[in-house]
Amino acid sequence: MDLQDVVSAGVVEQRELLNQGVLTAQELIAATLDGIDHATDLGAFTTVLHEQALAEAKERDRERAEGPVGPLHGIPIAIKDEVDVAGVVTTFGTSANSTPAAADAEVVRRLRDAGAIIIGKTAMPEFGQWPFTESSTYGLTRNPWDRNRSTGGSSGGSAAAVAAGLVPVAMGGDGGGSIRIPSACCGLFGLKPQRGRVPVAPHEHLWWALGVIGPLTRTVLDSAIVYDVIRGNSSGDRFTAPEPVLSFEQAVRQPAAPLRIGYSTKSTTPLAKPDPVQVQAVHDTAKLLADLGHTVFEVEPTYPESTHAFFPQFFGGVRAEAAAVEHPERLESRTKQIIALGTWARRPVIEWGIRRGESLARKVDRVFAECDLLLTPTIACRPPEVGILDGASAIGALRSSIPMIAYTALWNVTGHPAASLPAGVGTDGLPLSVQLVGPYNGETAILSVAAQLEQARPHPRPRADREALG
């Protein structure tokens, strides 16, 4: 048994080896930590929990010997550095916090209850503001496909860790595309769940109505398994979602029913035109879906202007997170500019933005009257070179972000579920991606079709995968 191959495997494979007794949690975690230590040049992790993870692995092995275990028992999982892990500073990508979190976030508690082992925290830009994972505190996070390219963001550390085969799962957050964009740049599957599907406790909100939490994985099934662990409402949730008829894992494992799938390469903003390679990926996927038995046709959605609903929550979310840090003087100058630019984004305006987003959701729902799922590009451009934020002002960073969020941010405003899924590799050697958007409670349909596509067109992995493990 090659431990490097085991470390770079997914949840299903690791779980099978652990259940069969071929591998212990202690062996898996030791090998995982070794791989992470040999790939520091990626800039994927901000904190690696060596001693804690090994101690937890020992406890997991003891628990396994005593009886039935959870669905993630012994599986290493990384956590984006905006989600609380007990005993670890929640940095939000800054150096402005210094006190460790007193308790796990609700999502982390659920992961641990299912047997997962928290291996460390992953990099993000300050407060997740940008679709590029770069910060003055932690530097650049590099794409395992090409280390001169960006992972996207803001869950770029999580994407780099999974794409490089360092961990099978890493948790991210998505307030404007921050799960889907890095998944697209790094060849991963990333589902942004419906608003209210996964709790954000103990925080009141994650950028108000925009942000959600979810995993980045290499396979659709791995994502479904993790979602079945973390989904479900908790007390105090402002936004809630009804229980699905099927579990997410069941949706992946059963054959996909024929659906009406509309496709469009139209951008939600005239400021971003899609790269022809991204357009071709959509057309190729549409053809494949038709070959798989779906009714596929081009649609022309009427996308409403959504920035007036997005920006109050964006600015208000950043200001709320910045107001809670311990050392505000350490924040990046670009963040301080955003705080100053967003002085108008106070609670009444934010609440208006949330209500406006709900109104826009009813408008875009019209597309789902004629199709069950919508197929689009995930990002308009190819993964950019690293260093895109070097010397950039807040306005410059916002401008550079437009091609990255042109197809994703609308669905945060409206709360619809949407997923980025791999669509092969471009002539530039970088992964291609498409986005599937669903109606409310449409995650199971997205997962079912995504799994069908994955079987017909297996997800690629970077050649540097093994090299990242040393």
Side-chain angles (χ1 to χ4, degrees):
M1 179 179 61
D2 188 329
L3 275 177
Q4 286 188 345
D5 288 339
V6 174
V7 168
S8 63
V11 170
V12 173
E13 295 87 350
Q14 289 186 359
R15 186 171 66 177
E16 183 176 352
L17 292 171
L18 289 164
N19 288 342
Q20 291 174 348
V22 175
L23 180 72
T24 67
Q26 292 173 81
E27 291 170 331
L28 175 57
I29 295 305
T32 299
L33 291 167
D34 185 59
I36 292 170
D37 290 343
H38 279 85
T40 55
D41 63 309
L42 282 176
F45 284 85
T46 58
T47 302
V48 183
L49 302 174
H50 291 84
E51 293 181 7
Q52 299 95 316
L54 287 169
E56 201 167 337
K58 184 176 181 179
E59 180 66 11
R60 293 290 181 263
D61 285 335
R62 183 192 63 77
E63 292 168 351
R64 183 177 296 277
E66 293 180 351
V69 296
L72 298 175
H73 200 87
I75 303 295
I77 294 184
I79 308 293
K80 185 180 180 183
D81 214 347
E82 64 184 355
V83 179
D84 290 348
V85 172
V88 183
V89 177
T90 305
T91 72
F92 291 96
T94 79
S95 60
N97 280 333
S98 56
T99 301
D104 288 335
E106 176 63 16
V107 163
V108 175
R109 185 193 68 77
R110 292 181 183 189
L111 291 170
R112 288 198 204 270
D113 284 352
I117 296 171
I118 307 306
I119 205 80
K121 305 291 289 289
T122 57
M124 59 184 289
E126 273 200 357
F127 303 122
Q129 297 169 84
W130 316 114
F132 317 103
T133 304
E134 305 174 9
S135 73
S136 59
T137 301
Y138 296 105
L140 304 173
T141 299
R142 298 180 181 274
N143 194 323
W145 288 80
D146 179 344
R147 298 188 185 203
N148 292 315
R149 297 284 182 155
S150 173
T151 57
S154 62
S155 306
S158 290
V162 176
L166 304 179
V167 290
V169 180
M171 300 304 296
D174 192 316
S178 291
I179 289 173
R180 290 160 289 158
I181 293 166
S183 292
C185 291
C186 295
L188 303 175
F189 179 75
L191 168 67
K192 179 194 83 70
Q194 176 173 318
R195 180 182 299 150
R197 181 70 67 197
V198 177
V200 298
H203 302 292
E204 177 190 359
H205 60 85
L206 186 60
W207 283 11
W208 302 96
L210 297 177
V212 294
I213 297 172
L216 291 80
T217 61
R218 289 189 293 277
T219 72
V220 180
L221 179 56
D222 282 357
S223 179
I225 290 169
V226 175
Y227 266 117
D228 280 339
V229 167
I230 64 172
R231 64 180 174 82
N233 305 135
S234 61
S235 60
D237 288 344
R238 174 170 179 174
F239 303 104
T240 59
E243 276 293 303
V245 175
L246 293 175
S247 75
F248 284 11
E249 183 173 353
Q250 286 174 321
V252 170
R253 291 189 180 276
Q254 71 175 22
L259 297 177
R260 302 168 303 159
I261 300 177
Y263 70 92
S264 174
T265 59
K266 175 184 176 182
S267 172
T268 64
T269 170
L271 300 177
K273 302 297 183 184
D275 187 293
V277 175
Q278 309 291 38
V279 172
Q280 189 61 49
V282 170
H283 289 162
D284 290 346
T285 303
K287 182 180 184 303
L288 178 55
L289 287 165
D291 292 342
L292 291 169
H294 299 283
T295 300
V296 183
F297 48 92
E298 189 168 9
V299 295
E300 186 68 18
T302 302
Y303 292 128
E305 204 287 320
S306 61
T307 55
H308 55 299
F310 179 85
F311 275 126
Q313 297 176 78
F314 166 77
F315 283 109
V318 173
R319 287 176 59 83
E321 291 173 348
V325 300
E326 298 168 87
H327 309 286
E329 71 280 0
R330 299 180 187 174
L331 295 175
E332 292 177 349
S333 60
R334 188 168 41 241
T335 297
K336 293 175 182 176
Q337 292 170 21
I338 288 291
I339 294 168
L341 287 169
T343 53
W344 54 272
R346 302 190 183 279
R347 190 64 179 258
V349 180
I350 292 168
E351 294 294 341
W352 177 89
I354 293 171
R355 292 193 301 273
R356 183 60 181 160
E358 292 169 345
S359 174
L360 295 179
R362 292 189 289 272
K363 291 183 178 180
V364 298
D365 267 340
R366 294 168 188 164
V367 73
F368 297 112
E370 59 178 316
C371 60
D372 301 304
L373 295 175
L374 175 66
L375 172 68
T376 77
T378 308
I379 56 177
C381 58
R382 304 300 288 136
E385 292 186 358
V386 294
I388 200 165
L389 294 182
D390 286 353
S393 66
I395 297 299
L398 286 169
R399 188 180 303 115
S400 297
S401 300
I402 292 171
M404 300 291 274
I405 68 170
Y407 290 94
T408 57
L410 171 64
W411 308 111
N412 294 83
V413 170
T414 64
H416 288 80
S420 171
L421 50 147
V425 179
T427 56
D428 56 5
L430 297 170
L432 298 168
S433 171
V434 293
Q435 178 177 233
L436 279 175
V437 185
Y440 281 114
N441 303 313
E443 291 103 326
T444 51
I446 292 172
L447 288 164
S448 180
V449 172
Q452 186 185 33
L453 284 169
E454 180 183 16
Q455 185 174 16
R457 183 177 60 194
H459 297 173
R461 294 184 66 172
R463 289 176 309 203
D465 202 357
R466 291 289 298 238
E467 296 172 18
L469 295 172

